[in-house]
Amino acid sequence: MVPKRLRRLEELAWPDGPRVFVAHSFRARLLGLSFLTDLPRDCGLLIPRCSTVHTFGMGFPLNLVFLDEHGEVLRVRSRVPPGRLVRVKGARSVLEVRSGPGRAFEYG
């Protein structure tokens, strides 16, 4: 089940079915996926205008997909544990997805 916090956000149409929610507001960007205990394998959070993310308050490891201004993948950081700060110079947005088996995204 998609967490209530994500259901309030804009949802993008993503090829092959994964659900991508967009964190436009300051609050959504700051919280990201923090303090969630679970995330469905087919869900991700896109944070636009972002090159640095934190994993403080995370209940599970993340795969972080850093994208350039054209939406092309610059770098993937896999299995980032809670309590980290990750930055990729030149990134314009970040897609956060749950790390682990059975996820619907191809990254990591």
Side-chain angles (χ1 to χ4, degrees), residues 1-71:
M1 176 177 235
V2 176
K4 185 177 181 180
R5 183 190 329 156
L6 295 183
R7 289 191 305 249
R8 297 176 182 161
L9 303 177
E10 173 191 0
E11 185 175 349
L12 296 179
W14 196 267
D16 301 323
R19 300 179 74 181
V20 177
F21 298 90
V22 184
H24 289 293
S25 72
F26 174 78
R27 183 178 191 278
R29 295 165 61 82
L30 178 65
L31 286 175
L33 300 175
S34 297
F35 310 112
L36 297 178
T37 56
D38 198 12
L39 184 70
R41 68 175 191 84
D42 65 341
C43 286
L45 180 67
L46 179 67
I47 306 173
R49 301 173 319 279
C50 180
S51 63
T52 305
V53 295
H54 69 82
T55 61
F56 299 107
M58 288 302 307
F60 43 85
L62 292 178
N63 289 349
L64 303 173
V65 183
F66 290 86
L67 307 169
D68 67 14
E69 65 273 9
H70 305 292

